[in-house]
Short mmCIF file of all heavy atoms in Angstrom, two decimals:
data_model
loop_
_atom_site.label_atom_id
_atom_site.label_comp_id
_atom_site.label_asym_id
_atom_site.label_seq_id
_atom_site.Cartn_x
_atom_site.Cartn_y
_atom_site.Cartn_z
N ILE V 1 61.00 4.27 38.71
CA ILE V 1 59.76 3.85 39.59
C ILE V 1 59.96 4.69 40.82
O ILE V 1 60.95 4.37 41.57
CB ILE V 1 59.68 2.33 39.83
CG1 ILE V 1 59.52 1.59 38.58
CG2 ILE V 1 58.59 2.11 40.85
CD1 ILE V 1 59.49 0.12 38.77
N PRO V 2 59.14 5.70 41.19
CA PRO V 2 59.35 6.44 42.35
C PRO V 2 59.20 5.62 43.62
O PRO V 2 58.27 4.83 43.75
CB PRO V 2 58.23 7.47 42.26
CG PRO V 2 57.89 7.56 40.86
CD PRO V 2 58.03 6.14 40.40
N THR V 3 60.15 5.89 44.56
CA THR V 3 60.09 5.28 45.83
C THR V 3 60.19 6.39 46.89
O THR V 3 60.00 6.17 48.08
CB THR V 3 61.24 4.26 46.09
OG1 THR V 3 62.50 4.88 45.85
CG2 THR V 3 61.16 3.04 45.16
N LYS V 4 60.42 7.64 46.43
CA LYS V 4 60.45 8.77 47.32
C LYS V 4 59.78 9.97 46.64
O LYS V 4 59.52 10.05 45.40
CB LYS V 4 61.96 9.17 47.46
CG LYS V 4 62.74 8.26 48.37
CD LYS V 4 64.05 8.82 48.75
CE LYS V 4 64.68 7.80 49.68
NZ LYS V 4 65.82 8.48 50.40
N ASP V 5 59.26 10.85 47.39
CA ASP V 5 58.53 12.02 46.94
C ASP V 5 59.45 13.13 46.45
O ASP V 5 60.65 12.98 46.44
CB ASP V 5 57.51 12.47 47.92
CG ASP V 5 58.07 13.19 49.20
OD1 ASP V 5 59.35 13.45 49.28
OD2 ASP V 5 57.36 13.37 50.23
N GLU V 6 58.80 14.33 46.22
CA GLU V 6 59.62 15.48 45.63
C GLU V 6 60.55 15.97 46.69
O GLU V 6 61.61 16.66 46.38
CB GLU V 6 58.73 16.62 45.24
CG GLU V 6 57.70 16.25 44.17
CD GLU V 6 56.47 15.57 44.58
OE1 GLU V 6 56.38 15.09 45.78
OE2 GLU V 6 55.49 15.63 43.81
N ARG V 7 60.35 15.79 47.96
CA ARG V 7 61.18 16.20 49.10
C ARG V 7 62.11 15.11 49.44
O ARG V 7 62.75 15.29 50.55
CB ARG V 7 60.34 16.78 50.22
CG ARG V 7 59.53 17.93 49.81
CD ARG V 7 58.72 18.36 51.04
NE ARG V 7 57.88 19.49 50.77
CZ ARG V 7 56.73 19.66 51.26
NH1 ARG V 7 56.22 18.94 52.31
NH2 ARG V 7 56.00 20.82 50.82
N ILE V 8 62.13 14.02 48.82
CA ILE V 8 63.10 12.89 48.97
C ILE V 8 62.69 12.21 50.33
O ILE V 8 63.57 11.57 50.94
CB ILE V 8 64.61 13.33 49.07
CG1 ILE V 8 64.86 14.42 47.94
CG2 ILE V 8 65.49 12.19 48.86
CD1 ILE V 8 64.61 13.91 46.54
N LYS V 9 61.47 12.22 50.61
CA LYS V 9 60.91 11.39 51.72
C LYS V 9 60.34 10.13 51.05
O LYS V 9 59.67 10.13 49.99
CB LYS V 9 59.76 12.15 52.47
CG LYS V 9 60.17 13.51 53.06
CD LYS V 9 61.06 13.28 54.16
CE LYS V 9 61.50 14.61 54.83
NZ LYS V 9 62.63 14.66 55.49
N THR V 10 60.55 9.02 51.88
CA THR V 10 60.12 7.69 51.38
C THR V 10 58.60 7.65 51.17
O THR V 10 57.86 8.03 52.12
CB THR V 10 60.66 6.59 52.27
OG1 THR V 10 62.00 6.63 52.35
CG2 THR V 10 60.22 5.19 51.79
N LEU V 11 58.19 7.13 50.03
CA LEU V 11 56.71 6.92 49.71
C LEU V 11 56.19 5.69 50.57
O LEU V 11 56.89 4.71 50.74
CB LEU V 11 56.45 6.74 48.29
CG LEU V 11 56.85 7.88 47.31
CD1 LEU V 11 56.73 7.52 45.89
CD2 LEU V 11 55.79 9.10 47.60
N PRO V 12 54.88 5.77 50.85
CA PRO V 12 54.32 4.49 51.50
C PRO V 12 54.26 3.37 50.46
O PRO V 12 54.07 3.71 49.21
CB PRO V 12 52.86 5.02 51.97
CG PRO V 12 52.69 6.30 51.13
CD PRO V 12 54.00 6.76 50.78
N LEU V 13 54.25 2.16 51.00
CA LEU V 13 54.22 0.99 50.06
C LEU V 13 53.05 1.07 49.08
O LEU V 13 53.29 0.68 47.93
CB LEU V 13 54.21 -0.26 50.90
CG LEU V 13 55.57 -0.60 51.58
CD1 LEU V 13 55.43 -1.70 52.57
CD2 LEU V 13 56.68 -1.01 50.52
N PRO V 14 51.84 1.34 49.47
CA PRO V 14 50.71 1.28 48.50
C PRO V 14 50.97 2.26 47.36
O PRO V 14 50.60 1.97 46.11
CB PRO V 14 49.54 1.71 49.28
CG PRO V 14 49.82 1.33 50.71
CD PRO V 14 51.31 1.59 50.81
N ARG V 15 51.56 3.39 47.57
CA ARG V 15 51.84 4.33 46.50
C ARG V 15 53.00 3.75 45.69
O ARG V 15 52.85 3.89 44.33
CB ARG V 15 52.32 5.77 47.10
CG ARG V 15 52.25 6.73 46.13
CD ARG V 15 51.72 8.05 46.67
NE ARG V 15 52.00 9.12 45.75
CZ ARG V 15 52.59 10.32 46.03
NH1 ARG V 15 52.89 10.62 47.07
NH2 ARG V 15 52.74 11.11 44.98
N ILE V 16 53.97 3.18 46.18
CA ILE V 16 54.99 2.54 45.33
C ILE V 16 54.44 1.43 44.47
O ILE V 16 54.70 1.30 43.29
CB ILE V 16 56.17 1.95 46.22
CG1 ILE V 16 56.96 3.17 46.94
CG2 ILE V 16 57.15 1.14 45.39
CD1 ILE V 16 57.95 2.69 48.02
N ALA V 17 53.47 0.74 45.07
CA ALA V 17 52.75 -0.48 44.44
C ALA V 17 52.11 0.08 43.09
O ALA V 17 52.08 -0.65 42.13
CB ALA V 17 51.89 -1.21 45.34
N LYS V 18 51.46 1.17 43.19
CA LYS V 18 50.79 1.76 42.01
C LYS V 18 51.82 2.05 40.89
O LYS V 18 51.55 1.79 39.77
CB LYS V 18 50.04 3.03 42.43
CG LYS V 18 49.47 3.85 41.34
CD LYS V 18 48.45 3.12 40.66
CE LYS V 18 47.75 4.01 39.52
NZ LYS V 18 47.99 3.62 38.16
N TYR V 19 52.95 2.64 41.28
CA TYR V 19 53.96 2.99 40.30
C TYR V 19 54.54 1.60 39.71
O TYR V 19 54.85 1.55 38.53
CB TYR V 19 55.11 3.79 40.82
CG TYR V 19 54.66 5.26 41.11
CD1 TYR V 19 54.64 5.74 42.36
CD2 TYR V 19 54.24 6.08 40.14
CE1 TYR V 19 54.25 7.06 42.63
CE2 TYR V 19 53.91 7.34 40.27
CZ TYR V 19 53.82 7.86 41.60
OH TYR V 19 53.53 9.18 41.81
N VAL V 20 54.77 0.60 40.53
CA VAL V 20 55.18 -0.70 40.06
C VAL V 20 54.19 -1.24 39.04
O VAL V 20 54.49 -1.79 37.96
CB VAL V 20 55.44 -1.67 41.22
CG1 VAL V 20 55.63 -3.09 40.73
CG2 VAL V 20 56.76 -1.14 41.99
N SER V 21 52.84 -1.15 39.42
CA SER V 21 51.87 -1.73 38.47
C SER V 21 51.89 -0.88 37.16
O SER V 21 51.77 -1.60 36.04
CB SER V 21 50.50 -1.41 39.21
OG SER V 21 49.45 -1.81 38.39
N ASP V 22 52.09 0.32 37.23
CA ASP V 22 52.15 1.14 35.97
C ASP V 22 53.36 0.50 35.13
O ASP V 22 53.30 0.46 33.88
CB ASP V 22 52.44 2.61 36.24
CG ASP V 22 51.09 3.24 36.79
OD1 ASP V 22 50.01 2.59 36.82
OD2 ASP V 22 51.18 4.37 37.34
N PHE V 23 54.50 0.40 35.83
CA PHE V 23 55.71 -0.19 35.17
C PHE V 23 55.42 -1.48 34.45
O PHE V 23 55.79 -1.81 33.26
CB PHE V 23 56.90 -0.26 36.02
CG PHE V 23 57.86 -1.25 35.50
CD1 PHE V 23 58.72 -0.89 34.37
CD2 PHE V 23 58.17 -2.41 36.14
CE1 PHE V 23 59.54 -1.83 33.84
CE2 PHE V 23 59.03 -3.37 35.54
CZ PHE V 23 59.75 -3.00 34.46
N LEU V 24 54.75 -2.44 35.23
CA LEU V 24 54.51 -3.75 34.75
C LEU V 24 53.52 -3.66 33.56
O LEU V 24 53.68 -4.39 32.52
CB LEU V 24 53.88 -4.67 35.84
CG LEU V 24 54.86 -4.96 36.99
CD1 LEU V 24 54.15 -5.75 38.09
CD2 LEU V 24 56.14 -5.61 36.47
N ASP V 25 52.62 -2.76 33.60
CA ASP V 25 51.76 -2.55 32.29
C ASP V 25 52.56 -2.14 31.14
O ASP V 25 52.38 -2.59 30.04
CB ASP V 25 50.65 -1.49 32.61
CG ASP V 25 49.57 -1.91 33.63
OD1 ASP V 25 49.54 -3.28 33.77
OD2 ASP V 25 48.86 -1.08 34.11
#
């Protein structure tokens, strides 16, 4: 589940939430 981008910068919470939602699905 991504929490950082390609440059290793932390992703914003709404973007992480989308990846979490995909995982839960």
Side-chain angles (χ1 to χ4, degrees):
I1 298 176
T3 59
K4 292 189 172 200
D5 68 13
E6 298 87 345
R7 295 181 185 152
I8 320 301
K9 302 291 183 202
T10 299
L11 293 172
L13 287 169
R15 195 143 170 226
I16 295 170
K18 170 64 173 112
Y19 289 115
V20 169
S21 178
D22 292 345
F23 160 69
L24 294 176
D25 288 344

